[in-house]
Amino acid sequence: MNNHSSSSSTSDFILLGLSSNPWMQKPLFSIFIIMYLVTVVGNVLIILAIRSDSRLHTPMYFFLSNLSFMDICFTTVIVPKMLVNLLSETKTISYVGCLVQMYFFMALGNTDSYLLASMAIDRLVAICNPLHYDVVMRPQRCLLMLLGSCTISHLHALFRVLLMSRLSFCASHVIKHFFCDTQPVLKLSCSDTSSSQIVVMTETLAVIVTPFLCILFSYLRIIVTVLRIPSAAGKWKAFSTCGSHLTVVALFYGSIIYVYFRPLSMYSVVKDRVATVMYTVVTPMMNPFIYSLRNKDMKRGLRKLMDRVHS
């Protein structure tokens, strides 16, 4: 095969998946189809509960319902294809299919992190500036924050995929992963990726670190404010509204930082596949549980939804 990108674009990639052990395929299929169904049903319930209870029509729940919607899309980009490959002999994905999957994975994953940042800002305003909360977090501003989150993330994904499409792949077409993530695909390229790696790292740092710093700054301000509250009960009440959000942030960012903020040479396929499962499958599945189990308003919304279904 000649070293030209057009020749690579006509051939398929092979996705090795989580394990090449033939005995593992069906058990893995069973585990992941259950996790996928739980993710979809759980997040759909969150969206319906928020829509059906007018008391949940607040900025925090506006962002939460959008987070649930993004999580459904995010796992749908990865898991169904992975399930098909677990049961098929060929395990191929077309070149275009690979780029499309990479695009939506990055666009939706980054939208998730910007929505988590929006929720942190919402908590910051609610705790540190409660008197002006309704003015600061008015519906138009929340909508702008949502549109901003989507726009930045989709532009980032477009930039990354355009860079990827210019690479040529000459030797191996075997992606040692269960979806088309940037790192495993970059490893297969026979183009010189060092210059694009610098561009990619810089731009990725900007896109991923911005919401992370935003969350960090918000929580530092929240902690300072909460510590000034004289009563222990008041402190607990103020901080309890942040507990579920903090849990999700820790799960999501912990695994992302572990996978992406290391040079390509340190990228280990086996360890990173486990960490990737954390934020592509486990976190979206856990979100509905984390938000509904610790949250009285959410439980009330879900009860209302059930009453509506039964009546």
Side-chain angles (χ1 to χ4, degrees), residues 22-282:
W23 303 106
M24 288 298 291
Q25 307 302 306
K26 284 197 170 66
L28 282 172
F29 178 85
S30 311
I31 293 164
F32 280 96
I33 197 162
I34 291 166
M35 287 168 87
Y36 180 63
L37 292 172
V38 170
T39 303
V40 173
V41 171
N43 282 296
V44 165
L45 281 175
I46 290 272
I47 295 167
L48 293 175
I50 290 170
R51 289 195 66 161
S52 67
D53 189 346
S54 57
R55 278 186 291 188
L56 295 179
H57 293 177
T58 63
M60 182 180 159
Y61 292 105
F62 166 76
F63 290 126
L64 179 58
S65 59
N66 279 292
L67 185 73
S68 285
F69 176 69
M70 294 301 162
D71 278 342
I72 294 169
C73 300
F74 183 60
T75 43
T76 303
V77 167
I78 294 165
V79 179
K81 177 67 185 163
M82 176 185 169
L83 292 172
V84 170
N85 280 355
L86 279 169
L87 294 187
S88 79
E89 292 296 311
T90 51
K91 305 190 189 309
T92 56
I93 186 166
S94 69
Y95 176 77
V96 174
C98 192
L99 288 181
V100 168
Q101 191 184 48
M102 196 183 285
Y103 173 85
F104 283 106
F105 161 72
M106 283 190 283
L108 296 164
N110 280 309
T111 305
D112 252 10
S113 63
Y114 279 88
L115 283 172
L116 288 171
S118 303
M119 291 165 88
I121 293 168
D122 172 75
R123 295 296 83 213
L124 168 73
V125 179
I127 291 170
C128 303
N129 200 350
L131 297 176
H132 299 117
Y133 179 76
D134 293 336
V135 181
V136 177
M137 298 303 289
R138 55 184 181 274
Q140 301 93 312
R141 187 165 287 172
C142 292
L143 196 60
L144 269 177
M145 286 163 86
L146 171 67
L147 291 174
S149 302
C150 293
T151 309
I152 292 168
S153 304
H154 280 271
L155 287 174
H156 164 71
L158 189 63
F159 167 71
R160 290 292 298 269
V161 168
L162 287 174
L163 272 183
M164 278 287 180
S165 66
R166 295 176 58 199
L167 299 176
S168 36
F169 302 91
C170 38
S172 171
H173 281 76
V174 178
I175 298 171
K176 295 177 177 174
H177 214 321
F178 57 89
F179 72 103
C180 286
D181 200 358
T182 46
Q183 249 90 335
V185 175
L186 264 179
K187 279 206 147 179
L188 299 184
S189 172
C190 48
S191 313
D192 176 27
T193 58
S194 53
S195 58
S196 69
Q197 257 196 304
I198 296 163
V199 176
V200 163
M201 271 303 241
T202 315
E203 196 266 350
T204 306
L205 269 172
V207 171
I208 293 183
V209 169
T210 306
F212 184 63
L213 288 178
C214 194
I215 293 167
L216 219 56
F217 168 76
S218 299
Y219 274 106
L220 286 173
R221 287 281 310 273
I222 288 169
I223 289 164
V224 168
T225 308
V226 168
L227 289 177
R228 287 190 188 140
I229 299 172
S231 72
K235 279 189 177 119
W236 176 243
K237 187 171 180 286
F239 211 72
S240 64
T241 61
C242 308
S244 30
H245 180 251
L246 261 178
T247 313
V248 172
V249 167
L251 270 176
F252 184 77
Y253 274 105
S255 45
I256 282 184
I257 289 167
Y258 177 76
V259 173
Y260 293 104
F261 287 90
R262 299 210 309 270
L264 204 55
S265 54
M266 280 177 66
Y267 186 82
S268 132
V269 175
V270 181
K271 285 208 293 267
D272 290 13
R273 276 188 296 201
V274 176
T276 314
V277 167
M278 275 301 292
Y279 69 89
T280 54
V281 188
V282 178

